[in-house]
């Protein structure tokens, strides 16, 4: 494939008619429009947010000139995003592991369908490559490599691209979270009420969506992007901003890697659209929409999983469950995830305070405690969804196990909250604050 670089921040025109596309390569908005008609963002198109510029951008109300946009990107990020365009083939790094570690990782993969799978240990054993290792294994065990005639080297390259596009500095929204969600999705795809109806395409879509559902997440939420007038908020008109970016970035990586290039055009178009539908379903602001639909289906008993539309809806529900399943894990892992997500909230709150922005709900470390945030999240978001999932599965052993962990973990957080109140000697004063925090979660205004 040959291409003509017009200018560094201008256009890239592809001469190959099969790659009939026009790349808009301005660093702040790097997107690829192909023949399929689905806009796809280039790898690494999300700029690092240079918070030193926030004071200026918030007063001016816009990111501003091309020069300012370029300053938002570190050189390393730009190099990462554009090296393929310059004809440089990304090389997967060598991962040198002790044979004992490799053996332990292989042993863990033999139990990847167990709900107590420790993703943190697995990530250490794979030298920080849990997502790539897990997906290669699952694609193989589900027979997807053979069924879709995937090239193993190309698959590995694509998965490395996905893993690298997660931000390791994020306490929560990183590649380990993606691997954790993927492992949970694998468990849900094995539920008897669902598994017998799933096609290889359903399974591949579920695993790919789980792996890439938060790719290139900046560690701040949609309201933050809107009030700082970030270019992605403008691009997606303040609607499912992050989810749209995750989807379009995934499409860009699929096309760059050419993982599915050998499949019929109509099939790749369908895969791209269904991936978008799955990833967009993870928008927490659409929680009530999906929960209401699920309740209605279960009440009417009209789910027909022989029908592709109904199967896709249940894949959306499964991905939503996988995305927020941390409170349903064993306490040791659940607590660690809770601390990580709250640390990410607090970092955003500290930045907002530093730059004289209104602190987002749940992001004020002085007012929003981890126990109160988690209790509210469990009560208003997690419990309603997982109760309906249990109804769908016919109260399977996995569903009962998850609900048991959820009840135990909620009790643990309530105990810790009580201890915090006793230490402060102001239980009466803290009570209304806790109720307010839970109400904030109930309204879906979560980072």
């Amino acid at each position: 494939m040959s291409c003509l670089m017009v200018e560094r921040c201008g256009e890239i025109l592809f001469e190959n008619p099969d790659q009939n596309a026009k790349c808009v390569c301005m660093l702040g908005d790097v997107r690829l429009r192909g023949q399929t008609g689905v806009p796809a963002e280039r790898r690494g198109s999300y700029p690092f947010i240079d918070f030193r510029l926030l004071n200026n951008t918030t007063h001016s109300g816009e990111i501003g000139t091309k020069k300012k946009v370029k300053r938002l990107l570190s050189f390393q990020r730009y190099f990462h995003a554009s090296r393929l365009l310059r004809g440089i083939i990304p090389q997967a790094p060598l991962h040198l592991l002790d044979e004992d570690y490799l053996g332990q990782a292989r042993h863990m993969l033999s139990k990847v369908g167990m709900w107590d799978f420790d993703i943190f240990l697995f990530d250490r054993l794979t030298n920080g490559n849990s997502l790539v290792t897990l997906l290669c294994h699952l694609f193989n065990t589900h027979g997807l490599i053979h069924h879709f005639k995937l090239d193993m080297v190309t698959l590995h390259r694509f998965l490395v691209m996905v893993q690298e596009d997660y931000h390791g500095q994020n306490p929560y929204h990183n590649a380990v979270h993606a691997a954790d969600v993927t492992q949970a999705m694998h468990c849900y795809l094995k539920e008897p009420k669902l598994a017998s109806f799933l096609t290889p395409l359903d399974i591949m879509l579920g695993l790919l969506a789980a792996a890439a559902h938060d790719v290139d997440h900046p560690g701040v939420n949609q309201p933050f992007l809107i009030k700082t007038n970030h270019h992605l908020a403008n691009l997606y008109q303040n609607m499912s901003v992050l989810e749209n970016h995750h989807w379009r970035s995934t499409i860009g990586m699929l096309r760059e890697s050419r993982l599915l290039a050998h499949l019929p055009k109509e099939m790749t178009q369908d895969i791209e659209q269904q991936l978008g539908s799955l990833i967009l379903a993870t928008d927490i602001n659409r929680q009530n929409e999906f929960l209401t639909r699920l309740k209605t289906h279960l009440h009417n008993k009209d789910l027909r999983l022989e029908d592709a539309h109904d199967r896709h809806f249940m894949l959306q529900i499964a991905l939503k469950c996988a995305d927020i399943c941390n409170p349903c894990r064993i306490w040791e892992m659940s607590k660690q995830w809770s601390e990580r997500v709250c640390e990410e909230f607090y970092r955003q709150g500290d930045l907002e305070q530093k730059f004289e922005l209104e602190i987002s709900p749940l992001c004020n470390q002085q007012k929003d405690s981890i126990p109160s945030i988690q209790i509210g999240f469990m009560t208003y978001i997690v419990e309603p969804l997982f109760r309906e999932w249990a109804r769908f599965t016919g109260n399977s052993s996995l569903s009962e196990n998850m609900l048991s962990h959820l009840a135990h973990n909620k009790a643990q957080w309530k105990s810790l909250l009580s201890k915090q109140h006793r230490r402060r000697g102001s239980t009466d004063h803290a009570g209304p604050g806790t109720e307010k925090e839970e109400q904030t979660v109930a309204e879906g205004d979560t980072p």
Side-chain angles (χ1 to χ4, degrees):
M1 178 179 66
S2 59
C3 64
L4 173 66
M5 179 78 79
V6 179
E7 58 174 298
R8 182 176 179 182
C9 293
E11 299 175 346
I12 293 179
L13 301 179
F14 289 85
E15 298 172 351
N16 187 335
D18 293 334
Q19 297 293 327
N20 184 17
K22 182 176 181 180
C23 296
V24 181
C25 293
M26 192 173 77
L27 296 183
D29 179 17
V30 189
R31 295 186 296 158
L32 172 66
R33 293 184 182 273
Q35 290 183 340
T36 60
V38 178
E41 298 186 17
R42 298 290 297 184
R43 297 183 62 207
S45 63
Y46 204 111
F48 280 153
I49 298 175
D50 188 343
F51 295 104
R52 293 171 298 180
L53 303 179
L54 278 181
N55 280 335
N56 296 332
T57 58
T58 53
H59 289 308
S60 66
E62 60 180 359
I63 293 294
T65 65
K66 186 185 300 184
K67 182 178 180 181
K68 286 184 180 179
V69 172
K70 289 166 69 175
R71 287 170 62 195
L72 289 175
L73 280 175
S74 68
F75 173 78
Q76 180 181 2
R77 191 65 169 165
Y78 171 68
F79 179 82
H80 176 68
S82 63
R83 56 189 173 181
L84 188 63
L85 300 180
R86 298 197 305 275
I88 302 173
I89 304 300
Q91 297 294 324
L94 290 174
H95 306 304
L96 301 178
L97 292 177
D98 183 274
E99 186 62 30
D100 289 339
Y101 280 83
L102 288 171
Q104 292 179 60
R106 282 193 293 266
H107 178 69
M108 287 194 69
L109 283 174
S110 69
K111 300 183 178 181
V112 71
M114 305 294 290
W115 189 245
D116 60 355
F117 189 86
D118 189 339
I119 199 65
F120 297 113
L121 174 59
F122 185 69
D123 192 62
R124 292 193 295 272
L125 292 175
T126 57
N127 195 30
N129 291 282
S130 54
L131 186 59
V132 173
T133 308
L134 179 64
L135 260 295
C136 284
H137 174 76
L138 292 179
F139 265 62
N140 185 46
T141 56
H142 283 286
L144 302 178
I145 297 173
H146 174 74
H147 181 85
F148 292 101
K149 297 179 173 57
L150 301 177
D151 179 79
M152 194 63 199
V153 174
T154 305
L155 173 63
H156 186 268
R157 182 166 63 243
F158 166 73
L159 295 176
V160 169
M161 291 166 70
V162 173
Q163 182 174 271
E164 285 184 351
D165 257 20
Y166 278 95
H167 298 195
Q169 72 271 24
N170 290 344
Y172 183 82
H173 288 104
N174 52 43
V176 184
H177 165 64
D180 184 61
V181 172
T182 303
Q183 190 270 336
M185 189 66 168
H186 169 64
C187 292
Y188 299 157
L189 294 176
K190 291 172 55 184
E191 283 282 16
K193 283 291 181 70
L194 185 62
S196 59
F197 296 97
L198 295 177
T199 67
L201 179 59
D202 294 327
I203 296 171
M204 184 171 74
L205 285 168
L207 295 177
L208 284 178
H213 80 284
D214 272 332
V215 73
D216 212 16
H217 196 292
V220 293
N221 63 7
Q222 176 172 290
F224 183 92
L225 299 179
I226 292 173
K227 63 187 172 186
T228 56
N229 205 34
H230 193 273
H231 80 282
L232 286 178
N234 295 325
L235 176 64
Y236 297 118
Q237 300 180 330
N238 301 341
M239 295 292 293
S240 299
V241 175
L242 288 170
E243 292 75 21
N244 268 298
H245 176 64
H246 304 323
W247 169 35
R248 304 299 170 83
S249 296
T250 303
I251 302 260
M253 288 183 283
L254 277 172
R255 294 180 185 176
E256 282 189 15
S257 66
R258 297 185 60 79
L259 176 65
L260 307 177
H262 62 289
L263 298 178
K265 176 182 173 182
E266 293 75 14
M267 188 175 187
T268 58
Q269 287 179 336
D270 180 58
I271 289 172
E272 290 181 354
Q273 293 291 351
Q274 289 201 61
L275 279 176
S277 178
L278 289 170
I279 293 173
L280 289 173
T282 62
D283 186 348
I284 197 68
N285 293 306
R286 300 180 65 191
Q287 185 77 2
N288 288 335
E289 169 195 338
F290 281 94
L291 185 59
T292 300
R293 283 179 59 191
L294 179 59
K295 286 181 177 179
T296 301
H297 278 304
L298 294 177
H299 176 75
N300 296 334
K301 299 181 180 179
D302 60 358
L303 275 174
R304 300 291 180 265
L305 295 181
E306 302 87 350
D307 181 73
H309 182 268
D310 283 0
R311 284 202 310 277
H312 183 77
F313 173 69
M314 288 314 303
L315 284 177
Q316 290 177 311
I317 296 297
L319 182 57
K320 289 180 69 65
C321 288
D323 191 26
I324 62 171
C325 74
N326 300 150
C328 301
R329 298 285 192 179
I330 61 173
W331 169 247
E332 291 75 17
M333 285 194 289
S334 179
K335 181 172 182 287
Q336 188 171 166
W337 282 121
S338 298
E339 292 168 346
R340 284 170 173 257
V341 73
C342 288
E343 172 61 24
E344 197 165 292
F345 295 171
Y346 296 153
R347 286 187 184 185
Q348 176 176 322
D350 291 345
L351 289 166
E352 291 168 329
Q353 184 176 37
K354 181 178 180 179
F355 295 105
E356 300 179 354
L357 301 169
E358 181 182 358
I359 299 179
S360 298
L362 311 182
C363 294
N364 190 330
Q365 191 167 6
Q366 305 306 315
K367 297 180 179 179
D368 307 316
S369 68
I370 297 177
S372 60
I373 291 173
Q374 292 306 307
I375 293 169
F377 181 57
M378 292 177 178
T379 302
Y380 295 105
I381 303 295
V382 182
E383 286 180 347
L385 181 60
F386 277 85
R387 279 199 299 266
E388 299 308 315
W389 176 259
R391 284 180 61 197
F392 165 72
T393 64
N395 293 311
S396 67
S397 59
L398 174 58
S399 291
E400 290 184 350
N401 192 20
M402 291 191 296
L403 290 176
S404 175
H405 288 317
L406 179 59
H408 172 75
N409 295 339
K410 187 175 180 180
Q412 290 283 85
W413 286 120
K414 285 184 174 181
S415 176
L416 289 173
L417 185 62
S418 296
K419 291 178 182 177
Q420 285 184 356
H421 290 170
R422 286 199 298 269
R423 282 199 300 269
R424 293 171 185 169
S426 55
T427 303
D428 293 338
H429 175 73
T434 300
E435 183 179 345
K436 183 178 180 181
E437 291 160 10
E438 293 184 355
Q439 185 61 34
T440 299
V441 175
E443 293 168 354
D445 197 6
T446 56

